[in-house]
Amino acid sequence: MRLKIVGSGGMFQIPNPFCKCPICEEARTKRGKYERLGPSIYIEDIQMLIDTPEDIGVACDRQGISEIKYLSISHKDPDHTRGMRIVEPLGYDCIADRGTPIQFIALPEVVDDINAWNGDGLYYYQNILHCISITKTDYIKIGNIEIHLVNNKTHRGNMTFYVISDRNKKAIYACCDVKPFVHNELYFDADVLIVGLVSDDGILKGGNLLKNALFKDDMFTVDEIMEIKHKYRIKQIIVTHIDEYWGKSYADYQKVEETLENVSFAYDGMEIVL
């Protein structure tokens, strides 16, 4: 099973065009792994893209993704939905006014959330442009790949965690709104947990402290993630959804990785082969 981190960033891309901090300036100079676009992942085996941040078209072009047969969106937040116009070039011929729908797979409650926040946009794409076909489900099998869509519903609303398996290999993609990490038996013995919103040291951009931030209770510490790793017997942790306001560069996270066991930090284009 082959997965690719299409975008490893969060709410704001790195470099943030409106920021002159050292992290953004470094990214402008070094580019490559120092840049981060919005959060998304691609399952290469079945050409399936999960999540559509605003810059998803740029991210797919950078990562050489030229075919998407299946699409899913984890939840309604703008940094995961505002690029859903990607379905237009994928499935709609504007010259012939003809749609060739790709399959859109999501939890029923997430479909409802997205439509409520985006003016029934998904139904527009399905019923007017005919460029997607919506499948509301919590499970799908495509070839040898099985995908369980688990609702990690918390105080913030509906959030999809994806349990992706191919025979004896298993990956969990839990990109956003991860805390609390609602128990599910499907999480045991995964090869990798790709998880978002993890603070490595509690220090944010400009020396601000996580403990003083309004969102402090929505983020895991590394210690808490290690507890989840051990509880569910997960072999490897990859941290993604790395936000600009965390104030750390790719090189900073390389140093952090040296202090941790089987924990790494994602970068755009990261290949995960199981």
Side-chain angles (χ1 to χ4, degrees), residues 13-17 23-37 58 62 249-251 267-268:
Q13 67 191 56
I14 301 175
N16 177 343
I23 300 304
C24 289
E25 293 288 37
E26 181 183 37
R28 290 187 183 97
T29 301
K30 295 183 177 179
R31 299 293 178 182
K33 293 178 180 179
Y34 287 79
E35 299 176 287
R36 298 187 189 277
L37 297 180
V58 174
R62 285 185 184 178
S249 75
Y250 169 70
Y267 53 84
D268 292 12

Side-chain angles (χ1 to χ4, degrees), residues 101-137:
I102 65 169
Q103 194 165 353
F104 182 91
I105 302 157
L107 290 170
E109 52 269 43
V110 169
V111 172
D112 292 342
D113 286 347
I114 293 171
N115 278 318
W117 275 57
N118 295 276
D120 285 338
L122 292 179
Y123 292 140
Y124 170 76
Y125 287 133
Q126 176 175 257
N127 301 328
I128 305 300
L129 295 189
H130 307 292
C131 57
I132 65 170
S133 176
I134 299 172
T135 300
K136 300 179 181 181
T137 185

Side-chain angles (χ1 to χ4, degrees), residues 39 50-52 72-82 106 110-111 113-114 118 156-160 162 175-177 241:
I50 298 174
D51 282 337
T52 58
S72 185
I73 295 180
S74 59
H75 66 302
K76 67 181 185 301
D77 285 359
D79 54 336
H80 296 257
T81 61
R82 289 305 193 199
V110 169
V111 172
D113 286 347
I114 293 171
N118 295 276
R156 290 178 54 83
N158 299 302
M159 165 55 59
T160 311
Y162 298 85
C175 184
C176 193
D177 293 353
H241 207 303

Side-chain angles (χ1 to χ4, degrees), residues 93-207:
D93 183 337
C94 61
I95 296 176
D97 189 24
R98 182 177 62 247
T100 306
I102 65 169
Q103 194 165 353
F104 182 91
I105 302 157
L107 290 170
E109 52 269 43
V110 169
V111 172
D112 292 342
D113 286 347
I114 293 171
N115 278 318
W117 275 57
N118 295 276
D120 285 338
L122 292 179
Y123 292 140
Y124 170 76
Y125 287 133
Q126 176 175 257
N127 301 328
I128 305 300
L129 295 189
H130 307 292
C131 57
I132 65 170
S133 176
I134 299 172
T135 300
K136 300 179 181 181
T137 185
D138 63 1
Y139 171 82
I140 192 165
K141 184 174 183 181
I142 305 169
N144 293 324
I145 302 292
E146 295 184 83
I147 304 175
H148 290 267
L149 293 81
V150 180
N151 192 345
N152 192 69
K153 188 171 184 177
T154 69
H155 64 285
R156 290 178 54 83
N158 299 302
M159 165 55 59
T160 311
F161 286 4
Y162 298 85
V163 182
I164 309 158
S165 57
D166 181 358
R167 293 176 288 265
N168 63 337
K169 297 296 182 181
K170 184 192 294 187
I172 305 166
Y173 186 62
C175 184
C176 193
D177 293 353
V178 292
K179 190 176 184 179
F181 198 87
V182 181
H183 172 74
N184 194 293
E185 293 289 325
L186 289 168
Y187 301 153
F188 281 102
D189 300 306
D191 293 276
V192 62
L193 167 62
I194 305 162
V195 62
L197 300 181
V198 178
S199 173
D200 59 299
D201 61 2
I203 302 175
L204 304 175
K205 180 178 176 180

